[in-house]
Each structure stands twice: as structure tokens, then as C-alpha cells.
């Protein structure tokens, strides 16, 4: 049997995702119309002999309860949310729930970060992992040398694929091959995590005995039950014939900012062409609006037949789109109203917001720049004919004058 664990983090981790993480935990923010965590979960469906999926995090339980029960029904597979009382780190969180995870006596455990967007080639990772015969195999990808330092950089043996060297977010360039945050382990991973905490405790005790200065530094070290997968496990075990790599040539992105979520929504919409074509809107469907490229429209949304939508648009539940509206490269969240002839380009429009007639909400679409996309928080009102360009607007604001390159607090 195999189980899958998805690390969903907690509220303190989502600060870069503001203002979109104010009322929805980041893992439930919709990309291509589905909660972020839905994409790795549906990829898990392709794993042979999968017994359970666990989400581990320190968000409030109630925030995940509804989602977890509906996705369990949909997949006919138990999905459980396991809540940590405090953050234990990416490996410590896994270890904290080891008894529950081992209930089905799995031979293999997949571990996925929730904030990565990729094709999750899990069955082929499993095959590769079995062939390598190590304790763990991680998904890796080549990125540009300039961007590599935002990730774990690594060196792998080109023939055996063994992980030879690993450094988390190094200051000087190591390699353009990086860690994708998707792993498969044998249950031996729990012993490796336990060794880290035992050693840490041992070192702390030793220092405490030696001198006052050492005592001070010991108190500054991490608590024994806080274990990071990258620094504490991957780095020390590299080059010991325990860890291997599996390189993907498909798409891969990290989802740390709203700008990147727009990019990832686009990537998942494109993937729907192969995995879930029924989720993509078609121009001649019952909605009748003109559809260009990849577009998702929730069945409860009402789109006027004279609107033109796409490419790369996703429209959530109960949205109303008026006559003559033009939408390009955007995410429109639940209960938004977009009135006649409004235009939205490269933007995210927050829940319950309202865009007036002939208004424009737009940006250049540079996903990596701070104001490269326009974001309207929850319940923002843009009045008729007002233009909002490259700006971030916090929840509940009413805009009656046009703004550009501004953060409206
Ligand atoms: N449950 C739980 N508890 N989850 C956690 C905790 C914790 O205490 N700490 C982090 N996570 C989750 C995050 O939500 C995320 O899904 C994942 O673990 C990794 O988060 P970080 O440890 O903050 O690392 P990162 O995202 O900056 O970088 C990691 O992922 C990159 C790929 O996206 C590293 O492993 C990089 O090397 C890697 O390139």
C-alpha cells in the first residue's frame, strides 16, 4: 500500500499571499477554479494502491473540514486533515503523525508541498524510486541560473541519479537543478527524522554542561521536535546512497505570491486540456459567451452571451458577468459582479467585489513584479468608469477615482 501526505503549512506561512489569504487559507485558494490543494490530490488518484491522503498543517480544523469531506466523497478515497498544535517544520510535521500515517502499514509514502504547481508525475516517480532502491526520491527540475537560489539547489549523479550534494537557498551558485518539493519515501524516513531530533537534544545537553556562552547558543538552536526536511534531512543524507532524484521536463512553479497564483492557474487550465477537458468552457456551450483559449466557468456563474472571455480566465461560483464585458488572464472569485462593458486584464478580483460599468481593472502581467498584476481584496467596489492599473487594493475599499501603481490600504 501507498499513502500520500500533503504539507499545507499554516496561517503564519501565508503572509506573502495577502490580501488573498485574509479569509481563505492559501491551500484552498482556487487555481483554474479548483482549490490549490485539489491539484496534487487529484494527481494522487493515479498512484496505484493508494490507501489514504493526509493533509498536515496548522490551519484551523474547521477551515478544511468541508473541503476534506467533499473531496473524499468525490474521489471515493479517504482524505484526512491532521492538525498540528504548532509548526513542527516540513519533516517534523510528518513525524508528529507517524503513528496515524503508518496505520495502513504503507510500503511507500509520498510527501508533497501544497504550494507547488506541476504535473505531479507520481506513478513514474514510484517506479524510479523502486528501481533506485533508496530511502527517498525527490522530483527535481532545471531552472534558470538566476532564479535557482530561491530553491534548494542540488547536484545529482548523471548516471545513477543519486543525490550527491544539497544546499537550501544557497547564497552562492551551486547548481541550476532544484528541489521541486515532491518526494517519495520508504517508512525509514521516520528513523532519519528521529535521529535528527535525538542528535539535536544530545548536542544541546552537551553544550549546557560546557559553558555559559554555549548555553546561550544552545537556547538559540531549534526545538528538538522542529525538523526541516531540506536542511536537516536532505543536506546531511546527500552522497550516502539513500536519496535519489527524478527529473521532470514538464512545467513546474512555486506558488508563493498572488502573481504566481495567476500564472499557475493558467498552467493548470492548459493541463485540463489533457486531464479534464470537461472542465473547460466552450464558446458554443449553453453559456454562449464568446470563449477564447482556456477558460473555466463555474456552473453557477451567469455570463452574458455578449461577453468575451479568455484566454486564461477562471470564474468562480455565483459570479455575474454583464453584457459586453471583456476578461483576459484573470481569476474572478465567488460572488463578484462585473457590470456592462467592464474590462479585466491580468488581475485577481476578490470575493463579493463589484466592478462598475465601463470600469477597467488591469496590469502588465509581469507575474514576478510586486505590482505586476492587479489584486482586489474581498468586497472591493470599483465605481463606473474608474480605471485601476498595476495596483493592490485591500478588502472593503470603494474606489471612485482611478489609480495606478498604488497599494490602497
Ligand atoms: N504542516 C506543516 N508544518 N507544513 C509546513 C511546516 C510546518 O511546520 N513548515 C513548512 N510547511 C509546508 C509548507 O506549507 C510548504 O508546503 C512546505 O512545507 C515547504 O515549506 P518551507 O519549508 O517553507 O520551504 P519552501 O517552500 O520555502 O521551500 C521548499 O520547497 C521548495 C519547492 O517549492 C524547499 O524544500 C525548497 O528546497 C524547494 O525548492
Amino acid at each position: 500500500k501507498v499513502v500520500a501526505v500533503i504539507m499545507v503549512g499554516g496561517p503564519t506561512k501565508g503572509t506573502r499571499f495577502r490580501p488573498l489569504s485574509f479569509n481563505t487559507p492559501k491551500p484552498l485558494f482556487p487555481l483554474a477554479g479548483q482549490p490549490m490543494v485539489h491539484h496534487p490530490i487529484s494527481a494522487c488518484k493515479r498512484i496505484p494502491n493508494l490507501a489514504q491522503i493526509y493533509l498536515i498543517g496548522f490551519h484551523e480544523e474547521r477551515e478544511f473540514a468541508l473541503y476534506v469531506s467533499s473531496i473524499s466523497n468525490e474521489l471515493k478515497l479517504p482524505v484526512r486533515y491532521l492538525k498540528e498544535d504548532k509548526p513542527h517544520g516540513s519533516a517534523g510535521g510528518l513525524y508528529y503523525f507517524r503513528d496515524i500515517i503508518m496505520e495502513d502499514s504503507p510500503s511507500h509514502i509520498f510527501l508533497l508541498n501544497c504550494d507547488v504547481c506541476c504535473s505531479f508525475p507520481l506513478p513514474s516517480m514510484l517506479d524510479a524510486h523502486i528501481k533506485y532502491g533508496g530511502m527517498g526520491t525527490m522530483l527535481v527540475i532545471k531552472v534558470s541560473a538566476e532564479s535557482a537560489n530561491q530553491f534548494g539547489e542540488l547536484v545529482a549523479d548523471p548516471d545513477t541519479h543519486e543525490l550527491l550534494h544539497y544546499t537550501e537557498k544557497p547564497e552562492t551558485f551551486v547548481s541550476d537543478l532544484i528541489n521541486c518539493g515532491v518526494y517519495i519515501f520508504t517508512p525509514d524516513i521516520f528513523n532519519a527524522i528521529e535521529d535528527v531530533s535525538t542528535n539535536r537534544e544530545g548536542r544541546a545537553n552537551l553544550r549546557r554542561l560546557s559553558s555559559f556562552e554555549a548555553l546561550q547558543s544552545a537556547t538559540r538552536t531549534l526545538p528538538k521536535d522542529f525538523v526541516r526536511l531540506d536542511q536537516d534531512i536532505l543536506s546531511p543524507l546527500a552522497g550516502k546512497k539513500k536519496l535519489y532524484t527524478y527529473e521532470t521536463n514538464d512545467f513546474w512553479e512555486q506558488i508563493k505570491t498572488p502573481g504566481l497564483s495567476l500564472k499557475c492557474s493558467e498552467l493548470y487550465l492548459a493541463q485540463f486540456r489533457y486531464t479534464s477537458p470537461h472542465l473547460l468552457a466552450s464558446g458554443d456551450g449553453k453559456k454562449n459567451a464568446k470563449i477564447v483559449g482556456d477558460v473555466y466557468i463555474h456552473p453557477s456563474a451567469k455570463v452574458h452571451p455578449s461577453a468575451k472571455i479568455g484566454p486564461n480566465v477562471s470564474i468562480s461560483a455565483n459570479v455575474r458577468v454583464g453584457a459586453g464585458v471583456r476578461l483576459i488572464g484573470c481569476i474572478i472569485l465567488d460572488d463578484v459582479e462585473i457590470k456592462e462593458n467592464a474590462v479585466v486584464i491580468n488581475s485577481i478580483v476578490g470575493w463579493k467585489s463589484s466592478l462598475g460599468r465601463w470600469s477597467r481593472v488591469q496590469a502588465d502581467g509581469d507575474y514576478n513584479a510586486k505590482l505586476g498584476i492587479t489584486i482586489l481584496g474581498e468586497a472591493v467596489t470599483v465605481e463606473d468608469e474608474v480605471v485601476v492599473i498595476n495596483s493592490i487594493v485591500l478588502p472593503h475599499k470603494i474606489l471612485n477615482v482611478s489609480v495606478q501603481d498604488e497599494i490602497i490600504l
Side-chain angles (χ1 to χ4, degrees):
K1 277 192 193 148
V2 179
V3 298
V5 175
I6 304 176
M7 299 307 279
V8 297
T12 56
K13 288 259 160 189
T15 51
R16 276 194 280 171
F17 215 65
R18 284 177 188 160
L20 301 172
S21 54
F22 281 150
N23 58 347
T24 303
K26 177 175 129 174
L28 297 182
F29 184 80
L31 305 177
Q34 316 297 320
M36 185 182 293
V37 70
H38 189 98
H39 300 278
I41 290 179
S42 41
C44 288
K45 235 168 56 177
R46 300 193 304 266
I47 302 171
N49 302 317
L50 184 72
Q52 282 257 5
I53 300 176
Y54 300 101
L55 311 183
I56 297 182
F58 45 99
H59 298 273
E60 285 306 319
E61 195 124 23
R62 59 173 169 75
E63 298 184 302
F64 281 85
L66 197 65
Y67 175 70
V68 159
S69 77
S70 79
I71 187 75
S72 302
N73 279 332
E74 193 184 317
L75 298 187
K76 315 231 169 343
L77 186 81
V79 180
R80 276 175 73 182
Y81 178 61
L82 304 176
K83 184 184 179 294
E84 293 163 271
D85 50 354
K86 57 167 195 204
H88 293 87
S90 41
L94 183 75
Y95 185 75
Y96 188 72
F97 291 110
R98 63 196 177 282
D99 294 339
I100 299 181
I101 294 167
M102 289 307 294
E103 268 170 11
D104 295 296
S105 313
S107 57
H108 293 95
I109 302 157
F110 274 98
L111 183 69
L112 318 179
N113 290 3
C114 78
D115 57 357
V116 298
C117 162
C118 64
S119 62
F120 297 104
L122 306 177
S124 27
M125 267 183 86
L126 176 60
D127 293 344
H129 173 75
I130 291 171
K131 196 177 87 196
Y132 302 148
M135 179 185 82
T137 298
M138 63 199 273
L139 190 68
V140 302
I141 193 168
K142 273 213 169 66
V143 297
S144 69
E146 308 81 71
S147 66
N149 66 353
Q150 305 163 38
F151 311 106
E153 295 184 14
L154 57 104
V155 180
D157 185 307
D159 302 316
T160 63
H161 305 285
E162 192 200 337
L163 177 72
L164 297 176
H165 179 77
Y166 184 92
T167 320
E168 184 61 24
K169 305 184 182 87
E171 277 171 29
T172 51
F173 181 72
V174 175
S175 161
D176 56 0
L177 201 58
I178 63 124
N179 170 8
C180 292
V182 177
Y183 316 83
I184 175 163
F185 293 111
T186 64
D188 286 339
I189 184 65
F190 293 119
N191 301 328
I193 304 173
E194 190 167 310
D195 288 349
V196 174
S197 21
T198 322
N199 285 341
R200 197 177 276 160
E201 188 176 40
R203 274 204 307 274
N205 285 339
L206 207 66
R207 287 206 204 92
R208 220 162 274 145
L209 293 174
S210 52
S211 74
F212 174 69
E213 203 180 327
L215 172 65
Q216 277 192 318
S217 88
T219 52
R220 255 187 273 126
T221 57
L222 294 164
K224 131 180 192 314
D225 59 354
F226 188 92
V227 183
R228 301 157 301 181
L229 189 63
D230 24 47
Q231 286 105 313
D232 300 327
I233 306 280
L234 303 179
S235 288
L237 290 186
K240 300 214 165 92
K241 298 214 165 12
K242 285 187 185 265
L243 299 174
Y244 292 82
T245 58
Y246 180 81
E247 188 175 340
T248 175
N249 297 315
D250 250 336
F251 64 95
W252 183 86
E253 284 287 341
Q254 207 184 25
I255 323 168
K256 292 293 183 196
T257 61
L260 289 170
S261 76
L262 198 51
K263 162 97 206 228
C264 293
S265 191
E266 179 180 329
L267 290 168
Y268 280 138
L269 282 171
Q271 198 197 24
F272 280 174
R273 277 185 242 156
Y274 310 101
T275 59
S276 325
H278 61 281
L279 291 175
L280 292 173
S282 56
D284 47 354
K286 59 179 190 299
K287 302 262 182 294
N288 270 328
K290 180 145 176 57
I291 303 293
V292 185
D294 302 327
V295 170
Y296 168 85
I297 301 178
H298 191 275
S300 63
K302 289 197 175 54
V303 181
H304 194 276
S306 65
K308 186 172 172 186
I309 318 283
N312 304 320
V313 171
S314 89
I315 297 180
S316 294
N318 304 316
V319 168
R320 285 140 297 153
V321 176
V325 164
R326 182 70 179 103
L327 306 179
I328 301 172
C330 55
I331 297 177
I332 311 294
L333 296 165
D334 293 9
D335 304 307
V336 166
E337 174 165 28
I338 305 180
K339 294 187 185 148
E340 295 88 273
N341 303 310
V343 174
V344 184
I345 302 173
N346 297 329
S347 302
I348 299 177
V349 180
W351 308 264
K352 302 190 185 78
S353 289
S354 160
L355 310 189
R357 293 175 188 84
W358 298 100
S359 65
R360 295 182 72 95
V361 174
Q362 64 185 73
D364 331 319
D366 177 355
Y367 299 122
N368 293 309
K370 186 159 189 204
L371 296 177
I373 70 161
T374 287
I375 304 162
L376 306 186
E378 184 183 8
V380 167
T381 303
V382 177
E383 295 195 339
D384 292 354
E385 293 168 38
V386 165
V387 180
V388 186
I389 300 176
N390 293 352
S391 294
I392 297 175
V393 184
L394 267 73
H396 305 287
K397 298 286 157 203
I398 298 176
L399 295 180
N400 48 21
V401 289
S402 296
V403 293
Q404 177 161 6
D405 302 317
E406 275 189 64
I407 299 178
I408 315 279
L409 298 169

